[in-house]
Amino acid sequence: MAEQEQDRLLDHNYDGIQEYDNPMPRWWVWIFAVTIVFSVFYAIYFHGKEGRSIQDAYNADMLAYFEEQAKQLLAMGPITEKTLLDIQNDPSKMAGAAQMFATRCVSCHGPGGGGNIGPNLTDDYWLHGGRLVDIYKTVNEGVPDKGMLAWGKQLGVGDVLSVAAYVGTLRGSHPPHPKAPQGEHYVYDRDAVLAAEAAKPAGPS
């Protein structure tokens, strides 16, 4: 027995103290191995196509809540610049919109909105108007001759509103390797747009 214990001493001596080769209990090793295997399936599920993280679920719930709010909003009147600016100021709505942009829009506009097949969304040049209400109309109705889908036919009103508002936040973000400018130069002046909107007589959006 003494010889066996001697064999299990490691060949390491520090101030006369030797390390003893005392392996972890088998049950602990098996639990550790199971957690490693579990982590692989966890990563595939929660970061793959089917699974959702807690944050993703929260963002989805917030978008569903906003969808109901949007229905009530539409029943009250037209969509305005102020409506979309208010949406921009809600972090939870912007988080859900950013996730939706990443899944629906990056193939044409790039991960940072710098443009790919579609135009650059981060500069001061716009093909269909640079106001938030213009962006909403473009997202909602699409641009069929350019291959852009009418997302209003596929997404709920709340989703379209939140994505349009989110696109407005990309302005001036300077992503790497942006696409060359397209369209007309338009510098967004929030106060001027709101003042012009307030001066207009009430009417449909």
Side-chain angles (χ1 to χ4, degrees):
M1 183 69 177
E3 291 181 359
Q4 291 180 352
E5 291 184 355
Q6 184 65 32
D7 291 340
R8 295 172 66 184
L9 286 172
L10 300 179
D11 188 20
H12 179 261
N13 190 307
Y14 184 77
D15 285 346
I17 301 174
Q18 289 182 278
E19 291 184 68
Y20 189 71
D21 183 14
N22 187 13
M24 298 299 294
R26 286 288 181 182
W27 62 267
W28 192 97
V29 174
W30 279 111
I31 290 177
F32 182 65
V34 168
T35 59
I36 293 175
V37 174
F38 174 77
S39 68
V40 174
F41 289 100
Y42 181 92
I44 293 173
Y45 180 77
F46 283 99
H47 297 282
K49 183 177 180 180
E50 300 298 330
R52 293 194 305 174
S53 67
I54 293 175
Q55 186 63 46
D56 290 342
Y58 172 77
N59 290 340
D61 289 343
M62 289 305 300
L63 284 178
Y65 169 71
F66 180 50
E67 176 71 22
E68 191 60 33
Q69 282 189 322
K71 290 178 182 178
Q72 298 175 11
L73 179 66
L74 290 177
M76 295 171 59
I79 295 168
T80 65
E81 196 78 10
K82 185 178 184 305
T83 302
L84 293 159
L85 285 168
D86 288 342
I87 295 170
Q88 279 188 350
N89 293 327
D90 190 318
S92 62
K93 293 170 186 174
M94 289 297 91
Q99 182 181 336
M100 186 166 297
F101 185 91
T103 57
R104 306 269 186 170
C105 309
V106 295
S107 59
C108 289
H109 295 288
N116 188 7
I117 300 171
N120 184 353
L121 302 175
T122 67
D123 58 20
D124 290 327
Y125 291 82
W126 298 86
L127 291 168
H128 308 288
R131 297 177 305 162
L132 295 180
V133 289
D134 296 327
I135 297 171
Y136 166 75
K137 182 178 180 181
T138 303
V139 174
N140 187 54
E141 300 178 6
V143 187
D145 60 331
K146 298 292 185 180
M148 178 172 174
L149 298 175
W151 288 107
K153 297 179 179 179
Q154 300 191 34
L155 304 176
V157 175
D159 292 343
V160 175
L161 285 169
S162 61
V163 169
Y166 174 76
V167 169
T169 68
L170 299 177
R171 214 185 311 246
S173 56
H174 306 294
H177 311 297
K179 191 174 181 179
Q182 295 174 276
E184 297 182 4
H185 185 254
Y186 176 83
V187 178
Y188 184 74
D189 185 332
R190 175 181 178 275
D191 294 335
V193 171
L194 288 175
E197 186 175 77
K200 286 182 179 181
S205 172

